[in-house]
Amino acid sequence: MFGWEFPPFHSGGLGVACLGLTRALTQRGYEVLFVMPKKLDVKTPWAKMLFADIDNLEGIAVNSPLKAYATSSGYGKRPDEGVYANDIFGEVARYTLSGARIARHEQFDVIYAHDWLSFGAGVEAKRATGKPLIVHVHATEFDRCGGASGINEHVYAVERLGMEEADIVVAVSEFTKQTIVRHYGIPEGKVHVVHNGIDESTAPSGGRVRQLRSLKEDGRKIVLFLGRITLQKGPDYFLRAAQKVVARNPLVTFVVSGSGDMEESIMRLSADLGLSENVLFTGFLSGADRHEMYTAADLFVMPSVSEPFGIAPLESMKLGTPVIISRQSGVSEVVRHALKVDFWDVEEMAGKILSVVGYPALHRSLSENARNEADRLTWADAALKVDGIVGELVH
Amino acid sequence: MKSVCFYFQVHQPYRVKRYRVFDIGNDPEYFNDRSQSDLNNRRIAEKVAAKSYIPATKLMLELLRRHPEMRVSFSFSGVALEQLERYAPEAIELFKQVVDTGRVEILGETYYHSLAFFYSPTEFERQVTQHRDIIRRIFGVRPRVFRNTELSYRNDLGAWADREGYAGIVTEGWDPILGWRSPNYVYKPKGAANSRLLLKNYRLSDDVAFRFSSRDWSEWPLTAEKFGRWIGEVEGDTVNLFMDYETFGEHQWEDTGIFKFLEALPQELAKNPGLDFKTPSEVIESYEVKDEVDIPHILTWADTDRDLTAWVGNPMQKAAIEALYSLEDDVVLGNDRRLLEDWRKLQTSDHFYYMCTKWSQDGDVHAYFSPYESPYDAYIAYMNALSDLRLRAGKRQGARA
């Protein structure tokens, strides 16, 4: 299995999904060799981790600073994260080359690659060994561009090649399957939908956002945006809805948690909309901070413009915090105990925010039912489906 | 002798449109959705009339003509009659013709198809009177047998019906309450002098209303011949077949064969010697009381609990109905007819049913039909409308003071 990131080293849902699926597969009796581009201190007693740079084949450490969800344009603009090579395509190319090498050294039945960053390695492994290839699409270039024009042709080409060479394509949602069929020309019958699950929350305690709770002592409500601050995630719609909410109920504080290439412009927008008093920016949160942020919030909003799945709402639901999710998301296909809106309908979004913070019975019902629902959306179910797909390829 | 007693329920609520927070204080119209959605009351009334009420009643007229022994009964909510008068007058004309045969009984109920009996006895009485008035105006008859919303019943409702001089009252024939008793006899409400209790035979009723087109059902397809035979095998004095009238053509579409089933049923039933048709009043007059039935807790027809939890079981439903009846004094004393009417339209039980989340336990989503995207959306629209109504009531009060 070729991946790119793995908790605790991750920036988005991809690593979380890889962990959840890998663990659930091993519980079904699978032996998983999980390959990553560079050496990381990941503790997974249930799966063997391989690192592409271990034997340093070409004398180049494949020491990747890449974020799986970063856009290629955004990548080059972030020199502050210890870049060894600031060309994402160079990184991917080196990882791709390692695919064949690793495949020849290991014993396995099926090759499995997660997202375009590792598709190349997966394809090389298949070419080297003739073993069947499954590619798992967690996001496409069209999602990363937030529906905007100007997708990166190189990324698109890598994605398309991976899907074409694959024996089966797994999509994280019907929403993503449609993109794959429409934009990548993959036959519908070859694309199987496997929705993500969510595991028990194991977040440590002792986070730093505890002081936010003091806000609530004055009767204020907290509405949370948590995710990368990029076009795809719709933070601007969040703020425009916030403006409508505050006009009716000034006792609502909107918290924006995350970082991303729109961070500055979103801060500016917040000021321009006259929301400085009502919007807080926390920066990127992980671990205990993230956990506490969810529980401090009265409501979580995911206004994504294009969200292949969206695991954050499930994290929130799991902790009993109600969610509003955009209909342009995969998670809205599997979740019933959530409010849903079109990302562009900020008035509807604002109306629903006001309802959740204003009607205690609504908050309570959503909270209780969301928690129960999240408990039922397990990675074991996802692994069961993947098991069926593998069964079609290997006898 | 044994009798078959049909009662068909005709009801359509005034569904609340997607009333947004921003509409509060700005828009006093709650029920005027004009979209292509199932919240458009006019659209639904026209659709159900065309698919169900009109063809079913034409068939009913024909069957009454062909079978002089046939008897049926109907219960119409006032809000359904109002909407049909406005949007589908042909259905009203057909209902009148059916009643004019003299072989069709009309039951009494609350005008607004409400749960008022359990929340405000005085409001309940006002709605029963209002219903009696519309039935007299349209059909020229006075109901003698009462049906409370959702077949809900409790001892005190039986006592009320007894005091009011009703010959009887209909409710669910639920085994845990009946114990060894069968629903196929006439009973007496606890403590009643003259009123009688008729109990729905839910197995046979639901065979038609719910299971008719279900291919998973071992008895599918249900033919009139088979159903007629089952009725013949029933022990007792009366087989009470109570169901929504929309069963014919709306819940069960025409292509399921439901109209053909209905058409063939009277002749199949007639094959059973000693079996006849009776209206609820005739059943009460014809058969002896078998026993007294004690129902101290609310009984309804709904799901396996047979209680009110499908309507007022979760926190949203409870908050909504409490907020609704807390406005009673302000609204009733205000003497603003529009306001009073809107408040009453918000009492219709369907609004609370749409907020039901019980399916999240049993997983049976389809059992709880709703025109809203989710129970949460139903609650939001309802509470927003109610918030506006509260503002209107407050303004009236302010004006008086």
Side-chain angles (χ1 to χ4, degrees):
Chain A
M1 192 173 272
F2 292 94
W4 192 263
E5 53 175 35
F6 209 84
F9 305 95
H10 70 87
S11 66
L14 177 60
V16 176
C18 286
L19 185 151
L21 182 62
T22 306
R23 186 161 54 197
L25 280 171
T26 58
Q27 282 161 357
R28 289 197 68 80
Y30 278 76
E31 207 179 309
V32 179
L33 300 165
F34 200 92
V35 187
M36 299 246 283
K38 74 158 195 170
K39 178 94 178 109
L40 291 170
D41 185 21
V42 179
K43 295 192 175 49
T44 49
W46 30 266
K48 183 179 169 193
M49 303 300 286
L50 288 176
F51 304 100
D53 62 346
I54 285 174
D55 52 357
N56 218 356
L57 190 68
E58 294 161 81
I60 302 163
V62 185
N63 197 346
S64 171
L66 299 176
K67 306 291 189 191
Y69 284 90
T71 58
S72 51
S73 58
Y75 179 72
K77 287 184 205 140
R78 302 178 67 193
D80 56 323
E81 297 192 16
V83 180
Y84 286 82
N86 69 354
D87 171 13
I88 193 169
F89 304 113
E91 299 291 340
V92 172
R94 279 187 284 281
Y95 190 32
T96 297
L97 287 175
S98 74
R101 169 170 51 87
I102 288 167
R104 283 196 206 95
H105 283 91
E106 300 291 338
Q107 297 290 313
F108 55 88
D109 301 305
V110 179
I111 308 156
Y112 204 109
H114 295 277
D115 266 7
W116 76 277
L117 297 146
S118 60
F119 281 2
V123 169
E124 286 304 311
K126 178 178 177 175
R127 286 177 179 164
T129 62
K131 300 273 171 66
L133 169 66
I134 298 170
V135 299
H136 195 130
V137 181
H138 299 263
T140 69
E141 182 64 4
F142 293 92
D143 303 306
R144 285 182 289 265
C145 292
S149 56
I151 59 157
N152 184 293
E153 290 297 337
H154 180 77
V155 174
Y156 173 77
V158 173
E159 287 179 328
R160 184 167 183 146
L161 177 74
M163 296 183 210
E164 283 171 354
E165 295 280 315
D167 298 275
I168 285 177
V169 177
V170 171
V172 288
S173 60
E174 289 293 339
F175 178 80
T176 298
K177 177 175 177 172
Q178 280 172 28
T179 306
I180 290 168
V181 172
R182 199 177 315 133
H183 292 301
Y184 294 82
I186 306 299
E188 227 180 295
K190 186 173 155 181
V191 188
H192 296 233
V193 173
V194 177
H195 290 109
N196 290 339
I198 182 158
D199 283 334
E200 282 310 310
S201 171
T202 52
S205 58
R208 296 164 299 152
V209 296
R210 206 162 287 250
Q211 60 268 29
L212 267 176
R213 288 183 178 275
S214 63
L215 272 177
K216 300 176 77 172
E217 285 163 18
D218 310 333
R220 299 184 72 87
K221 304 287 185 178
I222 297 177
V223 179
L224 174 66
F225 170 98
L226 191 151
R228 282 171 301 106
I229 306 181
T230 60
L231 201 62
Q232 180 195 351
K233 301 289 180 178
D236 41 338
Y237 296 100
F238 182 70
L239 289 189
R240 291 187 193 284
Q243 189 186 32
K244 289 180 184 293
V245 169
V246 170
R248 263 193 112 92
N249 182 353
L251 284 177
V252 182
T253 296
F254 291 81
V255 174
V256 178
S257 282
S259 57
D261 54 21
M262 274 176 76
E263 210 168 331
E264 271 178 42
S265 71
I266 284 299
M267 286 181 173
R268 248 191 335 267
L269 179 64
S270 159
D272 291 348
L273 295 174
L275 292 170
S276 302
E277 300 279 305
N278 291 80
V279 179
L280 298 175
F281 291 86
T282 68
F284 179 76
L285 298 178
S286 62
D289 292 338
R290 185 181 172 100
H291 182 101
E292 279 188 20
M293 193 61 246
Y294 281 127
T295 51
D298 296 282
L299 173 64
F300 174 85
V301 181
M302 185 187 75
S304 297
V305 170
S306 179
E307 188 70 67
F309 188 79
I311 229 162
L314 293 186
E315 293 174 341
S316 179
M317 289 168 67
K318 191 100 188 162
L319 295 167
T321 300
V323 300
I324 296 178
I325 54 181
S326 98
R327 289 199 184 93
Q328 290 67 36
S329 72
V331 69
S332 70
E333 296 165 15
V334 291
V335 162
R336 292 182 182 283
H337 294 286
L339 296 173
K340 299 173 189 178
V341 296
D342 292 312
F343 71 87
W344 41 262
D345 193 348
V346 291
E347 182 161 296
E348 178 74 1
M349 202 185 296
K352 286 185 168 167
I353 292 170
L354 283 163
S355 298
V356 176
V357 301
Y359 298 129
L362 176 63
H363 183 275
R364 193 179 139 198
S365 292
L366 276 168
S367 170
E368 286 171 4
N369 295 326
R371 194 192 295 264
N372 291 334
E373 183 164 43
D375 284 344
R376 291 193 300 268
L377 297 169
T378 62
W379 278 110
D381 285 349
L384 178 70
K385 286 185 195 141
V386 169
D387 189 19
I389 291 163
V390 170
E392 284 181 30
L393 298 174
V394 185
H395 303 286
Chain B
M1 274 308 274
K2 182 167 68 185
S3 304
V4 178
C5 177
F6 281 105
Y7 135 57
F8 303 116
Q9 179 66 36
V10 176
H11 169 58
Q12 291 298 326
Y14 281 101
R15 298 156 195 88
V16 178
K17 69 182 176 187
R18 269 162 40 112
Y19 193 93
R20 298 182 177 201
V21 172
F22 305 102
D23 299 325
I24 300 170
N26 301 315
D27 181 3
E29 299 282 349
Y30 313 144
F31 313 104
N32 64 338
D33 183 288
R34 291 285 174 267
S35 72
Q36 287 303 300
S37 82
D38 284 349
L39 293 173
N40 182 332
N41 293 308
R42 175 186 199 129
R43 192 175 154 266
I44 298 297
E46 288 172 352
K47 185 183 82 171
V48 178
K51 281 177 69 180
S52 172
Y53 299 156
I54 291 170
T57 313
K58 282 182 176 163
L59 176 58
M60 210 61 81
L61 271 172
E62 173 60 21
L63 290 175
L64 285 161
R65 194 186 56 75
R66 259 188 247 164
H67 305 279
E69 74 285 6
M70 197 171 148
R71 303 277 189 282
V72 295
S73 66
F74 285 91
S75 194
F76 301 95
S77 72
V79 283
L81 290 173
E82 244 182 41
Q83 295 189 78
L84 291 175
E85 282 192 301
R86 195 173 316 150
Y87 304 131
E90 186 187 353
I92 295 285
E93 284 312 309
L94 288 163
F95 285 137
K96 277 185 182 165
Q97 290 177 40
V98 159
V99 175
D100 287 345
T101 62
R103 290 184 276 139
V104 174
E105 179 170 8
I106 297 185
L107 309 188
E109 62 171 282
T110 55
Y111 190 97
Y112 291 93
H113 197 274
S114 73
L115 299 170
F117 183 79
F118 305 104
Y119 291 87
S120 168
T122 48
E123 172 63 15
F124 169 77
E125 301 246 9
R126 288 190 287 254
Q127 290 184 18
V128 172
T129 306
Q130 193 179 345
H131 183 259
R132 192 185 296 146
D133 292 345
I134 195 172
I135 295 297
R136 189 196 302 121
R137 175 170 69 74
I138 296 179
F139 300 108
V141 299
R142 182 186 168 112
R144 298 187 56 229
V145 171
F146 193 76
R147 178 219 78 122
N148 201 27
T149 306
E150 317 298 359
L151 289 184
S152 57
Y153 182 84
R154 198 170 56 189
N155 284 338
D156 49 349
L157 184 70
W160 171 84
D162 196 43
R163 268 198 319 277
E164 291 294 309
Y166 283 98
I169 186 159
V170 294
T171 187
E172 176 71 327
W174 185 227
D175 315 61
I177 279 162
L178 293 179
W180 54 268
R181 291 166 291 209
S182 141
N184 309 322
Y185 294 95
V186 176
Y187 293 93
K188 192 162 80 74
K190 187 178 164 64
N194 300 308
S195 278
R196 301 290 176 256
L197 213 44
L198 293 185
L199 306 170
K200 171 177 161 184
N201 184 314
Y202 70 85
R203 286 191 187 85
L204 288 164
S205 300
D206 295 352
D207 284 343
V208 180
F210 298 154
R211 287 180 283 273
F212 183 78
S213 60
S214 169
R215 289 171 188 243
D216 302 333
W217 183 33
S218 60
E219 296 294 346
W220 186 87
L222 181 62
T223 62
E225 187 259 326
K226 189 194 289 183
F227 193 68
R229 200 170 62 236
W230 290 350
I231 300 283
E233 289 162 2
V234 168
E235 272 187 45
D237 294 332
T238 174
V239 185
N240 298 326
L241 300 175
F242 301 168
M243 63 194 76
D244 287 344
Y245 198 42
E246 298 84 25
T247 299
F248 305 101
E250 172 65 16
H251 299 339
Q252 310 289 347
W253 289 5
E254 185 182 3
D255 61 15
T256 64
I258 191 74
F259 288 115
K260 296 215 157 44
F261 172 84
L262 179 61
E263 184 175 1
L265 195 54
Q267 74 216 31
E268 291 300 330
L269 289 171
K271 289 181 183 167
N272 296 296
L275 185 76
D276 68 0
F277 292 92
K278 280 188 170 50
T279 67
S281 291
E282 290 169 344
V283 170
I284 288 165
E285 281 156 21
S286 308
Y287 299 106
E288 287 297 308
V289 168
K290 200 77 174 172
D291 196 3
E292 184 174 272
V293 182
D294 181 17
I295 305 179
H297 304 293
I298 299 173
L299 173 71
T300 70
W301 65 264
D303 45 58
T304 49
D305 297 320
R306 295 298 201 278
D307 58 14
L308 272 185
T309 51
W311 293 273
V312 290
N314 73 31
M316 293 187 290
Q317 294 168 316
K318 285 180 184 145
I321 203 157
E322 278 160 23
L324 172 72
Y325 283 104
S326 75
L327 292 175
E328 178 171 356
D329 288 347
D330 291 347
V331 171
V332 173
L333 294 173
N335 212 19
D336 173 340
R337 276 193 54 193
R338 271 292 311 277
L339 185 68
L340 192 57
E341 206 181 302
D342 286 343
W343 177 67
R344 289 186 166 144
K345 284 176 181 169
L346 290 171
Q347 290 184 45
T348 301
S349 63
D350 304 63
H351 301 308
F352 307 100
Y353 195 70
Y354 300 148
M355 301 172 197
C356 179
T357 50
K358 286 183 86 172
W359 46 264
S360 66
Q361 283 121 54
D362 60 21
D364 192 2
V365 183
H366 305 290
Y368 297 90
F369 173 78
S370 162
Y372 296 92
E373 187 179 357
S374 76
Y376 309 106
D377 290 278
Y379 176 78
I380 290 170
Y382 185 88
M383 290 304 279
N384 288 344
L386 199 61
S387 299
D388 182 78
L389 190 114
R390 186 184 295 114
L391 279 183
R392 286 164 63 198
K395 274 196 201 112
R396 286 226 43 107
Q397 267 199 324
R400 277 208 326 278

